[in-house]
DNA sequence: TTGCTAATGCAATTGTGTTGCGTTTGAACC
DNA sequence: GGTTCAAACGCAACACAATTGCATTAGCAA
């Protein structure tokens, strides 16, 4: 009878999956995160819940397979996860910003990503703009 | 007195480094490769030479540090290396194409990468456009 | 409440890349 | 052609993110 997470559990069940605590917690975390989170980020944020590492990996895999989240490998070659915007008509264009100081990755939904001209015979299904630099917080201390 | 690799050894020494067989072989391989190669690709291609795994990693690290090569993490979170165009004035903007079928990564030097507007307080030092799709070879068989 | 199986927890394993350290070797200098 | 010496190497061990196997637990439909 916990009224805090009614919608999320509903949405999970609507996909034909079980609304487990781990799934609800990860989805809620990603919903409130304004940047792409790594597995380690999620492990830290939810450590009070006592979920197993592997469970979190499997929740994230399930979210990616279900189209609920995106997975990108950052420059340090660790996966980062962000919630897929359900109302985004086509998520084949996306921009991320990675801070060289704090390592955080931000989704830049406002930045338009234009599909460039490609060599003959090439076709594109997704375009991702990856910007490196200093974020708003770290830039102030530079 | 091998006349096959005079320029490469010269260029290496011009950087103040030793022209070792491993460096010459890796540079020659990357020069002829039309796509970004992973460490594993390079290990396979040069396995007849008997170089140690770690030596290849160190050669690649040295090339990146010296500005001779770029390193990008692909979607499977493995590093891929491509030769830096020596005449590129500023390599802070770069475009790569990754084929979903064969997994190969191509440098798209012709594609212009424009620096987008960023949120307040953010500053960018590098912009990379990463395009996913089907390359010229795989697209023909689709 | 019961029963089924999706989902979990734990342990072991994989794959990519790194570090430490003794040995070899490129190349500058005689 | 030697001699010298640090840069570069080879080997072994390590670090870390992520994956797999399997016995156990728990959602949820009936």
């Amino acid at each position: 009878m916990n009224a805090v997470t009614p919608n999320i559990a509903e949405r999970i069940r609507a996909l034909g999956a079980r609304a487990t605590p781990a799934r609800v917690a990860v989805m809620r975390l990603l919903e409130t995160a304004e940047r792409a989170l790594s597995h380690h980020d999620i492990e830290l944020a939810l450590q009070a819940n006592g979920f197993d590492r592997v469970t979190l990996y499997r929740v994230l895999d399930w979210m990616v397979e279900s189209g609920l989240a995106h997975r990108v490998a950052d420059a340090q070659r660790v996966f980062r996860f962000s919630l897929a915007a359900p109302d985004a008509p086509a998520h084949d264009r996306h921009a991320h910003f990675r801070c060289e100081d704090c390592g955080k990755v931000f989704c830049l939904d406002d930045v338009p990503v234009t599909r460039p001209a490609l060599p003959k015979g090439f076709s594109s299904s997704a375009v991702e703009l990856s910007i490196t630099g200093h974020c708003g917080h770290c830039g102030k201390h530079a």
Side-chain angles (χ1 to χ4, degrees), chain A residues 56-141:
Chain A
L56 296 179
Y57 274 117
R58 287 197 264 235
V59 167
L60 292 167
D61 286 348
W62 165 78
M63 289 185 69
V64 171
E65 281 170 19
S66 308
L68 296 169
H70 311 296
R71 167 166 43 204
V72 294
D74 71 10
Q76 288 76 47
R77 62 178 223 104
V78 336
F79 286 140
R80 289 186 175 271
F81 300 86
S82 58
L83 212 69
D87 54 343
H91 196 272
D92 54 348
R93 302 175 184 184
H94 207 71
H96 289 108
F97 182 94
R98 186 176 62 81
C99 180
E100 291 173 349
D101 295 324
C102 63
K104 290 180 182 174
V105 175
F106 302 83
C107 280
L108 301 176
D109 295 317
D110 300 336
V111 174
V113 178
T114 56
R115 181 170 306 208
L118 291 172
K120 208 178 180 78
F122 283 57
S123 65
S124 71
S125 61
V127 182
E128 196 210 312
L129 190 66
S130 172
I131 303 153
T132 318
H134 304 280
C135 75
H137 187 259
C138 295
K140 293 170 185 168
H141 310 297

Side-chain angles (χ1 to χ4, degrees), chain A residues 27-43:
Chain A
M27 280 187 69
R28 207 160 41 158
L29 179 63
L30 282 180
E31 262 186 357
T32 58
E34 82 286 359
R35 60 186 179 87
L37 300 179
S38 68
H39 172 271
H40 188 62
D41 293 334
I42 295 168
E43 198 175 15

